[in-house]
Each structure stands twice: as C-alpha cells, then as structure tokens.
C-alpha cells in the first residue's frame, strides 16, 4: 500500500487484540461463576419488575486500578450483601476505565501498570479473571461498556 500521508503518525506500533472467543477460552467461566451470573441477573430482574421487595444497590469504586484491593473490597461487600439480603439486592460496580478523565491516569483499561503502559490485551484477560473471581465468591457484578 502506498503511503497517503493520512496514517496516524502518533502510533508507536500495532498489536492484535484477542477476540472475545479467545479471551473466553483463556479464562473460561467456572460452574460457580456461571451460577452467580445467572442468579444475579434473576435477582436484578426480580427487583426491577417488582416481584422482589428489595432495593437494588449497585455500588463500587469509580475505577478498578488494583486487583488485590478490588478483591478485598469484593470480600467485604459480599459479607455485607449476606447480612442485608432481605432488604437490599447488592451488585458490585466494576469499571476498568475512566472515560471522563481528560488528564492524568485513564484507568486500568488504558494503563494497567499505571506507567503509561497501554496494554489492553493484558486488561482483557486480567479483567475477565477478576470478574470471574468475584462471581466465584457469589458476588454479582455490573460493568459498563
């Protein structure tokens, strides 16, 4: 292909991203995690259609930046969810990006190592692993796309 002068001169290189299917193969959903996803969706649906008399609470950090801190938070939230299950339906908000941030750190998706690393492939796999860990502990998660 002949250069047209329209190429992005700011790019340092290109790497192929794994397909969703490849990520699912690398980090398969366990039976326990699949059960949490299904029961979490059913719980949310029952609150929204008012067959469950609980308040839906989607709560969590603005953006995940430290997977171990996120696990600590998830464990504490899971314990709380167990204590208030009769009145609250708790779902952990899990977001890997800071889309409205114009300066500074752009979030785990864009910089997982917090060093201008831009390793999106690493985040796709690491993010799915983290979501699977939450689901395996029985904590439903909500994320944004």
């Amino acid at each position: 292909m002949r250069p047209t002068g329209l190429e992005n001169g700011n790019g340092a290189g290109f790497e192929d991203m794994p397909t969703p299917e490849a990520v699912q193969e690398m980090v398969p959903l366990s039976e326990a995690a699949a059960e949490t996803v299904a029961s979490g969706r059913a719980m949310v649906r029952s609150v929204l259609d008012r067959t469950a008399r609980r308040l839906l609470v989607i709560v969590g950090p603005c953006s995940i930046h430290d997977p171990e801190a996120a696990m600590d938070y998830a464990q504490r939230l899971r314990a709380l969810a167990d204590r208030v299950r009769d009145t609250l339906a708790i779902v952990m908000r899990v977001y890997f990006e800071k889309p409205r941030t114009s300066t500074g750190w752009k979030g785990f998706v864009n910089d997982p190592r917090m060093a201008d690393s831009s390793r999106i492939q690493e985040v796709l796999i690491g993010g799915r692993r983290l979501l699977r860990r939450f689901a395996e502990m029985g904590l439903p998660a909500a994320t944004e796309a």
Side-chain angles (χ1 to χ4, degrees), residues 22-66:
V23 174
Q24 289 173 359
E25 284 180 25
M26 288 184 257
V27 186
L29 201 58
S30 67
E31 279 188 46
E35 174 56 33
T36 297
V37 171
S39 64
R41 288 177 180 174
M43 175 186 72
V44 169
R45 199 174 302 114
S46 70
V47 172
L48 294 177
D49 69 15
R50 299 181 182 183
T51 58
R53 297 188 58 82
R54 295 191 285 171
L55 179 65
L56 176 61
V57 181
I58 301 173
V59 60
C62 172
S63 181
I64 300 290
H65 69 282
D66 177 348

Side-chain angles (χ1 to χ4, degrees), residues 96-137:
F96 296 110
E97 187 177 15
K98 295 175 71 75
R100 290 168 295 283
T101 299
S102 58
T103 60
W105 185 65
K106 295 287 198 179
F108 191 70
V109 164
N110 296 302
D111 188 12
R113 298 180 186 185
M114 296 181 81
D116 290 328
S117 58
S118 188
R119 298 182 180 274
I120 293 175
Q121 303 88 332
E122 181 179 313
V123 173
L124 291 173
I125 295 162
R128 182 167 169 90
R129 278 193 186 117
L130 191 57
L131 288 166
R132 182 180 64 186
R133 288 176 71 189
F134 299 154
E136 286 174 343
M137 71 168 56

